[in-house]
Amino acid sequence: GLATTAFPNLPVIVLTGTGDMATGVEAIQDGAQDFLLKGKLTGSEILRAVTYAIARHHTEREQRKRFEEAGVERKEPCR
């Protein structure tokens, strides 16, 4: 996805339109760590999304680094 390509070292959370689950799922398939639906946000949901996105992004970077060190080529994101 554009955001994950433009900012590969940052976790990405997508804010979708109200009830737009399909866009959120597509964003995750394109590399985002999470998505949130407009209109249904609470402070605790935002905190959870940010916390988990950072953790998942860190794990993906570590996995990618291990594969690179081992000389293994990956064609899809570590999930």
Side-chain angles (χ1 to χ4, degrees):
L2 179 60
T4 56
T5 301
F7 305 101
N9 295 320
L10 297 175
V12 174
I13 300 172
V14 174
L15 182 61
T16 69
T18 305
D20 190 3
M21 296 278 294
T23 299
V25 171
E26 184 178 329
I28 289 176
Q29 291 170 343
D30 285 343
Q33 279 69 40
D34 205 347
F35 70 94
L36 297 169
L37 299 173
K38 285 183 187 175
K40 296 187 177 191
L41 295 175
T42 65
S44 62
E45 288 173 338
I46 294 169
L47 178 61
R48 177 205 53 81
V50 169
T51 301
Y52 289 151
I54 291 168
R56 279 192 297 273
H57 186 71
H58 177 73
T59 299
E60 289 171 7
R61 284 179 45 195
E62 289 298 313
Q63 287 177 342
R64 197 170 13 258
K65 180 180 172 185
R66 287 188 191 117
F67 277 108
E68 288 171 3
E69 288 172 353
V72 176
E73 204 172 304
R74 293 203 39 100
K75 296 191 186 227
E76 55 185 72
C78 301
R79 293 265 174 213

